[in-house]
Amino acid sequence: MNLHIRCMVSDTAEYSAVAINQYGTTTSKAMVTVKRPAGGAGESCHLGLVPHLTEIHPSKLEVSLLDRFHVTFGVEGSSVSLVCTMVVVPDLPNVPPLAQWYRDDKLLKPGKLVEMSVSGGAARLTLPHAAKDDEGLYTLRIFTKDGTAEHSAYLFIEDAAPSVAGAPGAPMSVKAYDINMDYVLVAWKPPNTTNEAATSGYFVDRCEAGSDTWVQCNDSPVKVCKYPVHGLRVGHTYHFRVRAVNSAGISRPSRKSDKVTALDPAESERLQVIKLDGKPDIVIKDDDLEGYVTIPGEPTDVHASEIFKSYVVLSWKPPSPRGRAPLWYIIEKCLAGTGTWQRINAAVKLHSPRYAVFDLEDGKKYHFRVYSVNTYGFSEASAPTGPIQKVDEHGSERPAGVPSAPGQVVATRNTKSSVFVQWDPPKHPNNLMGYYIDGRAAGSKQWFPCNHKPFKHTRFVVHGLVPGETYVFRIQAVNVYGLSDESQESSPIAVEPALGGAVEYATPSAPFGITMLSCDGSSMTLAWKSPKHCGGSKVNAYYIDKRNADTLAWKEVNETSIKERIYTVEHLTEGTFYEFKIQAGNMAGVGVPSAPSTPLKCEAWTMAEPGPAYDLSFSEVRGNSLVFLWKAPVYSGASAVTGYFVDMAKKGSSEFVTLNAEATSHRYLHVKGLEEGESYVFKVRAVNAEGLGKASQVSEPVCAKALPGTKEIVCGVDEETGDIFLSLEACEICESSKFVWSKNYKAIGDCPRVSVTAKGRSSRLTFTNPDKDDLGRYSVVVTDTDGVSASHTVTEDALNSMLELSYAIRHPIVPLKHGLNYEILEKGHVRFWLQAVKLSSAVSYRFIVNDKEVTSGEGHKISHDVGTGIIQMTVDHFTKANEGTYTVQIHDGKAKNQSSLVLVGDVFKVALKEAEFQRKEHIRKQGPHFSEYLSFTVTEDCTVMLVCKVANVKKETTFHWFKDDEEIVPDAPPNVLSGSCALPIPLFSRKDHGIYKATLGDDRGKDTSLYDISGQVFEDIINALAQIAGASASELVLQCTPEGIRLQCYMTYYTEEMKTVWKHRDSKIASSEKMRIGGTAEMAWMQICDPTDKEKGHYTIEVSDGIKTHARTFDLSGQAYTDAYEEYLRLKAAAFAEKNRGRVVGGLPDVVTIMEHKSLSLTCTVFGEPTPEVTWFKNEQEVASNPHTKLTFEGGKFASLVITEVTPEDSGKYSINVRNKYGGEFVEITVSVYKHGEKIPEPKLGQPKAATPAVTPVPPKSPAPPPKTPTPTPSKSQTPAPSLKSPTPASTPASKSPTPTPKSPTPPRSVKSPTPPRFMKSPTPPRK
């Protein structure tokens, strides 16, 4: 087997080849290292890169780190970047410095999860999909000419939002160990839990490499952070992940593990390599040295390699000899002391020398032994293990193996946003993984995690804290069993900077940006920028040194400290170039000096334009806006400064854009439209009457991003005093911080119009006597912070609203939720009430009606409820005398209020009418009455029920139904004692219109309920019927008749009042001679009379219930139409034949009894078109006309048989056969002749038998489709009972014949008339 690769450097790796057959597997590995050829230009050119221009090694470069990455916070799933800028000398684009990144002192390599780059003067590390596995201390190491330059900072990765509220965070650091052919041991680290429920277990999932399908490995959660996974396929590669479980739900999955391949680790150990100088190596397998072995030896060294509360992992050494046949193992267990062995893995073919045993009983000890098995048989059993128990001796008091709680926790100050925490390790570490640190604000009960990945040391710097806030901390130890108990809490500590070694600088860093603001020939005015690092305390002093640019010696300019960042250096020599350097000082001392300024020439400024503005600063930095401020130029030029222009550019760009089209007279500018997260630089130019002045220095870059926790100024009114105020709560603060308030960005200072107070992290500006002079933009800056600031504009409308609220607070009223109102109570009582927002127990009030106070007494009840704030008065008997105005006056402490209600005119009449109605209702309910008046319901079988409920009835109470004042007597008498009565109205239709009445009465009184079924009520009933009927509607059924083709829809009930629409090809069909629409109580139908090809297509019936439309369709086209049309023609012809066949219309008796010698005349009327032939029979023998028996047939209508003198021989069975080409009919007559004086014999009737029509010629088919396909005949369950077959002539209604057809006796002879061809059955579903 060969593998050919066109190698590149990136192909360097370890390669494996796995061979598998039915006898087993074998593996071979090789390490391939690909090197560049000498010069290295080949690959670069192949990749299209610029060839190296020099052979300078990266370590020969001079590298100085500039902006360094800080402590960074990220969230699972987000992208996080760490960037460090640098200056490289020489700066060669093709020779970047050699940079290495470390996490917790482990070298990182670029890949899908870690991206690295060094270009453009910056080293960047990006985590495109951050996970908690990525948390740790990151170190950048740059190799320089003098050695290395390094920088480190911590990266924190928080848990992403849980999939279920309260679910735990995701586990981390998932790795696979002990890899075998079908087994692997997966281990991970547990997540931290602060306020969530404790983690109760874990689910382990696996996924084959290249697939996105994850399979859960364990049915129930495993309680420790290890799990043995069985059932892997040899040679296959897998990833693993873990999910944590608690009482709230399941966490998000962890990051998947590195891929592992299921292989036999002992394969390489069974190979021996013999090296021969100059010749290929010889590889020999142990199998070759064993000879021919069939049954393998027994395993050895069986022992428990992992013992946990959930399971025990057994391990052993493979047998020797093992044979060449594929090998597997069988394990048996024995309860200690019993001697009974039981097989464990009967259903699992185990190939690896590892196995996890679950379901062992707690507190019991077991022995285990193992057999080797192949196709030839079993080995001897291995030596049994010693007693093995699931839970160790420390597991009785706490979860097995969990560390004890850490010791004393001590927190000390570090920086203004971090605290240094250290603790004592636990007394029982039990294979400690690390620690979780939790914190909480003093006074709060909510803990927050300080780290999200176990930290291995006993000291930790907690970052991201709120400056000035006080915190306490606790520690938990972590191992494979979970988290220990919490340690004791630390003492509370305020977050404030510490002086000395806890910060990077104890003294300030160097000032920078020295610039000249003015020069008169003997002095220079200088300004500079604050140090980037204050050293942990406020910078309170600056010291300036100067020197002649041609000399090396520096001289002090000021012996006493300078507080401001502007100073005029005097006693200079005109025309001389000077250099300056500046040092900053704080409580820790004087810091390092700045770099020397550029040489500045002492030459008097005489230009007419203004000099540069200075002291550029920023305030109120937000995601898309900021306020840019500056100070006026020291040198104003030939005339006063009239305004300023502000220019802005993105950091790193030299393309400045002027922000204001016209010069602003203010020394600030509100800049909007910034991109969040982008950095910008600014400069400002002053202008006077002479023109545009010199630009200021470019500002420091500012990032358009609000500080975490930033809050805005709140404008409000004090609820107690009514004072109007502006307030800010700072997101960070330190001991030396001050709140500086400004109006229109001019410091307010001591002003009688306002007063400023500060408490903790909040400051309030209160207006003394606010009016229009106080309108404007107010801002506040918190000093000694990272730019905490905010502003608020007080507008005239807002001020007026607050003045109104202030007046209301200072002149309080009792606030009302509801003003005075009334409601009618039972028995006709009237309640007058109002509700206050709040009442005290000392409240007093008065009810005044028509200017007279009303007190609680006869006819009036007055009360109040402090809890609900309700004050009420109830009038027992409300009459016309109560018309008027009602007022309530309330006094509650200093507050008071009143509310009035006018009840006069129509308003009073409505109230009086309602009160009288309620009185009558009360009286009505003293006797039998309707608790619910008449209404309707519709049952499932579409019976309309009029229902009502009755109350206060007794056995003697009578109940009657009426319609239009006529009493209805239902089949079942009403049972009033049941509490309800119902009147069924079956087959409801328009005939049931009317006014229905129910009466109820006994000796205590009578009550009546009326229900008018018309108008909307009738429509509602029809819609309710349509809802049930439409839902029960069958599919459309095709039925052929002699008149045409009929489509039928069976349903529970149908009436023509339902909103039913028939459609043909989506067009509504109107009933006509061509398209007849009708129905019965059980179906709706539509008949196509004399169909033609125009009637082909889709037919739909729609039954609407006012809300939903129920539709059924039928496709009358193609073969369906052809078959239906042929059946229609057949039935039409059969009906024509039935109509015109020969028949006896009337006149013949069934029995004739006659005395001999009398004359017998059998005469009848016949019909047929064409005229039928008439034949008479006696005793089934044809009768011919003779003198004794005379036969006549007159006018083709009247047939007679006359016997002049009858004799006994004339007795017998006579019959007449009337027939034409369409068919005929037999009629029988029994004739009995008796002699004179004899008893008249009893008549014996014959059996009439109607003849069937003759064969009717079928008309020619209409132009039709190809040969028809038989229509499928549905099963009985699908076919409705009525009209299974198409109508036959016998079932044709009598009205279709020209004359009625009475039943006539037929001769007994079994002569059958020809019948029409077999008709077609239409598929008809069963009626529901």
Side-chain angles (χ1 to χ4, degrees), residues 617-630 645-649 657-660 664 667-675 680-684 699 702 704-705 745 777 791:
S617 62
F618 302 96
S619 180
E620 304 157 42
V621 180
R622 301 294 185 265
N624 55 11
S625 66
L626 56 81
V627 175
F628 177 47
L629 305 101
W630 60 91
F645 287 97
V646 177
D647 301 331
M648 179 186 76
V657 177
T658 302
L659 299 179
N660 49 326
T664 176
R667 291 195 299 276
Y668 64 89
L669 184 68
H670 191 196
V671 183
K672 299 180 180 180
L674 304 180
E675 298 178 22
Y680 298 88
V681 293
F682 295 83
K683 61 183 180 181
V684 63
S699 71
V702 59
K705 184 177 181 180
Y745 296 98
R777 187 183 185 93
S791 67

Side-chain angles (χ1 to χ4, degrees), residues 308-640:
F308 296 109
K309 193 172 183 180
S310 302
Y311 60 89
V312 171
V313 176
L314 297 177
S315 300
W316 59 90
K317 292 182 179 179
S320 180
R322 57 176 285 149
R324 301 183 183 182
L327 185 70
W328 65 93
Y329 301 97
I330 290 177
I331 306 172
E332 292 183 343
K333 69 178 179 180
C334 171
L335 188 63
T338 64
T340 303
W341 291 92
Q342 178 184 0
R343 184 172 292 184
I344 297 176
N345 60 323
V348 178
K349 213 170 190 180
L350 182 62
H351 296 280
S352 299
R354 305 284 188 277
Y355 190 72
V357 182
F358 294 85
D359 301 327
L360 298 180
E361 296 185 35
D362 293 339
K364 293 187 178 182
K365 298 181 180 181
Y366 294 85
H367 299 280
F368 299 91
R369 67 186 184 188
V370 184
Y371 293 87
S372 300
V373 188
N374 64 13
T375 54
Y376 297 102
F378 289 72
S379 72
E380 295 293 332
S382 69
T385 65
I388 297 174
Q389 189 173 351
K390 198 165 61 167
V391 179
D392 63 17
E393 59 186 0
H394 300 293
S396 58
E397 296 297 329
R398 60 180 185 275
V402 171
S404 57
Q408 182 181 8
V409 183
V410 178
T412 55
R413 294 180 181 177
N414 190 52
T415 69
K416 64 179 179 181
S417 61
S418 65
V419 167
F420 182 72
V421 182
Q422 53 189 345
W423 58 92
D424 294 332
K427 292 182 180 180
H428 304 286
N430 291 354
N431 298 317
L432 189 69
M433 282 184 182
Y435 301 92
Y436 279 126
I437 301 94
D438 300 334
R440 65 175 175 85
S444 170
K445 295 182 180 180
Q446 294 292 316
W447 290 91
F448 60 86
C450 301
N451 64 322
H452 308 86
K453 175 182 174 183
F455 185 72
K456 295 183 178 180
H457 306 289
T458 57
R459 59 191 183 279
F460 188 76
V461 179
V462 180
H463 291 275
L465 304 178
V466 177
E469 186 65 82
T470 301
Y471 294 90
V472 293
F473 300 92
R474 70 183 184 190
I475 313 295
Q476 284 181 283
V478 184
N479 71 357
V480 70
Y481 294 99
L483 279 63
S484 73
D485 294 333
E486 294 93 350
S487 69
Q488 292 185 350
E489 297 176 8
S490 69
S491 299
I493 184 170
V495 182
E496 296 175 353
L499 296 177
V503 292
E504 188 172 354
Y505 303 98
T507 57
S509 60
F512 63 100
I514 301 172
T515 184
M516 182 168 61
L517 302 180
S518 178
C519 182
D520 60 4
S522 62
S523 64
M524 291 183 185
T525 301
L526 305 178
W528 57 91
K529 295 180 181 178
S530 302
K532 289 186 176 181
H533 304 283
C534 67
S537 65
K538 182 179 180 180
V539 175
N540 55 14
Y542 292 98
Y543 299 91
I544 305 175
D545 294 341
K546 69 176 181 179
R547 74 178 179 188
N548 189 308
D550 297 331
T551 65
L552 297 177
W554 290 93
K555 296 182 180 179
E556 293 182 353
V557 172
N558 60 312
E559 295 181 357
T560 59
S561 63
I562 302 170
K563 303 294 184 182
E564 302 296 330
R565 287 180 290 106
I566 183 173
Y567 188 75
T568 300
V569 182
E570 298 179 341
H571 309 297
L572 302 178
T573 302
E574 187 172 6
T576 303
F577 285 87
Y578 290 92
E579 291 179 352
F580 301 90
K581 66 179 182 179
I582 304 174
Q583 292 174 275
N586 63 5
M587 292 175 63
V590 179
V592 295
S594 67
S597 68
T598 58
L600 302 175
K601 186 177 182 180
C602 184
E603 184 179 30
W605 287 8
T606 59
M607 64 253 193
E609 297 82 6
Y614 72 101
D615 199 11
L616 312 184
S617 62
F618 302 96
S619 180
E620 304 157 42
V621 180
R622 301 294 185 265
N624 55 11
S625 66
L626 56 81
V627 175
F628 177 47
L629 305 101
W630 60 91
K631 290 184 179 178
V634 174
Y635 180 80
S636 60
S639 60

